[in-house]
């Protein structure tokens, strides 16, 4: 805070008066001010709010992706009586996480406004004032609302473990190729292991077969890894550390 006169030299009211008022308000004194407190303070606050919003948007975007009909591993809460897509009855629109995403864009716009307000004519014009009356209260309220929405999604979302398991097997167990390559690399080196597994993956793609079955038929692989080891490498639990 600052109560230092028209241009900041305490011409009418002294520093002691400012100190008493700010103490009553619970504010620190602004050590370098003109008529106004420098607006980099406000820009820093709005930037922090925008970053918090971006973090919530990251969470919301992932939920939106996981809710897609062809993925359907996680769904945001869907209340009784709530309608999905107006055109596609099978579809549940992720309206809450879409709202978080859109509001995060608004917060980034407010951060830009905060940066625009830093440079003032002669360090004392009030062109920032009209903008701040909108962006400061709105940004704090919006962030609080977005946190409320995100907490509800996190608390009440539906997790489809069966869909997760099914997606891990699609397509043809190929996502476990890295685990196979690393196990094989201990016997033949990483370069050779990469070529062997890459070739097996290509055959699995072309033939529409499971990678595990292709590897079981490869003599070079089977000479180094037992069938039990190969099968074990295709268990997703092995990726849990």
């Amino acid at each position: 805070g600052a109560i230092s006169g028209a241009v900041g030299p305490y011409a009418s009211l002294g520093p002691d008066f400012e100190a008493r008022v700010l103490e009553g308000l619970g504010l620190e004194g602004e050590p370098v001010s003109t008529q106004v407190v420098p607006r980099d303070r406000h820009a820093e606050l709005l930037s922090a709010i925008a970053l918090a919003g971006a973090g919530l948007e990251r969470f919301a975007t992932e939920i939106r992706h996981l809710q897609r009909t062809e993925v359907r591993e996680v769904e945001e809460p869907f209340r009784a009586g709530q309608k999905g897509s107006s055109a596609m009855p099978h579809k549940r629109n992720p309206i809450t996480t879409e709202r978080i995403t859109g509001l995060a864009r608004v917060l980034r716009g407010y951060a830009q406004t905060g940066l625009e307000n830093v440079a003032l004519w002669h360090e004392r014009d009030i062109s920032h004032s009209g903008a701040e009356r909108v962006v400061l209260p709105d940004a704090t309220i919006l962030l609080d609302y977005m946190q409320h929405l995100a907490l509800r999604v996190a608390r009440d979302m539906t997790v489809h473990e069966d869909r997760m398991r099914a997606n891990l097997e699609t397509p043809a167990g190929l996502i476990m190729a890295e685990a196979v390559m690393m196990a094989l690399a201990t016997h033949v080196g990483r370069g050779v292991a990469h070529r062997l597994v890459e070739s097996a993956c290509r055959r699995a793609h072309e033939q529409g077969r499971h990678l595990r079955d292709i590897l079981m038929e490869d003599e070079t692989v089977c000479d180094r890894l037992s069938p039990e080891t190969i099968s074990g490498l295709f268990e997703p639990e092995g990726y849990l550390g």
Side-chain angles (χ1 to χ4, degrees):
I3 306 176
S4 54
V7 291
Y10 300 101
S12 57
L13 299 172
D16 292 341
F17 177 82
E18 176 188 72
R20 290 197 303 273
V21 174
L22 294 183
E23 181 181 4
L25 295 172
L27 296 176
E28 295 183 11
E30 172 56 62
V32 181
S33 72
T34 55
Q35 183 188 31
V36 298
V37 172
R39 257 41 192 177
D40 55 351
R41 308 290 194 267
H42 299 66
E44 183 178 12
L45 171 63
L46 289 166
S47 296
I49 290 174
L51 280 171
L56 295 174
E57 182 186 14
R58 179 181 65 175
F59 166 73
T61 299
E62 183 65 13
I63 297 296
R64 290 169 59 202
H65 168 67
L66 293 175
Q67 186 164 326
R68 289 164 52 201
T69 302
E70 62 271 29
V71 179
R72 200 170 168 267
E73 293 185 1
V74 175
E75 293 178 309
E76 67 176 46
F78 195 83
R79 295 171 175 169
Q82 180 179 330
K83 290 185 179 181
S85 168
S86 60
M88 295 174 283
H90 71 283
K91 185 172 180 284
R92 290 186 175 184
N93 291 330
I95 58 174
T96 302
T97 46
E98 285 181 335
R99 193 180 311 151
I100 292 172
T101 300
L103 292 177
R105 298 168 184 169
V106 175
L107 293 183
R108 286 195 287 276
Y110 287 167
Q112 181 63 35
T113 300
L115 293 170
E116 295 291 337
N117 283 342
V118 172
L120 305 173
W121 287 6
H122 296 299
E123 301 189 81
R124 53 96 46 218
D125 85 74
I126 56 172
S127 60
H128 56 81
S129 179
E132 288 174 356
R133 291 166 194 258
V134 175
V135 301
L136 287 173
D138 213 36
T140 51
I141 291 169
L142 280 182
L143 180 60
D144 179 73
Y145 176 58
M146 291 166 64
Q147 289 174 329
H148 169 75
L149 294 178
L151 285 170
R152 180 162 63 84
V153 171
R155 182 181 63 245
D156 299 331
M157 65 183 175
T158 301
V159 178
H160 298 289
E161 295 183 19
D162 56 333
R163 286 292 302 172
M164 291 182 175
R165 173 68 67 169
N167 288 338
L168 288 174
E169 292 295 324
T170 305
L174 292 173
I175 64 170
M176 298 302 181
E178 179 190 9
V180 177
M181 179 190 70
M182 297 306 294
L184 196 57
T186 62
H187 300 280
V188 297
R190 195 179 188 284
V192 174
H194 189 283
R195 288 195 296 273
L196 288 169
V197 176
E198 182 183 35
S199 176
C201 290
R202 186 168 57 251
R203 296 200 301 275
H205 264 305
E206 295 171 350
Q207 299 173 18
R209 300 172 60 199
H210 200 284
L211 176 60
R212 178 182 53 245
D213 299 331
I214 298 291
L215 292 168
M216 292 285 195
E217 298 171 357
D218 191 309
E219 292 183 2
T220 304
V221 175
C222 291
D223 285 345
R224 274 80 178 179
L225 302 176
S226 68
E228 293 76 17
T229 298
I230 295 174
S231 294
L233 291 170
F234 284 86
E235 291 297 326
E237 289 79 5
Y239 269 73
L240 297 179

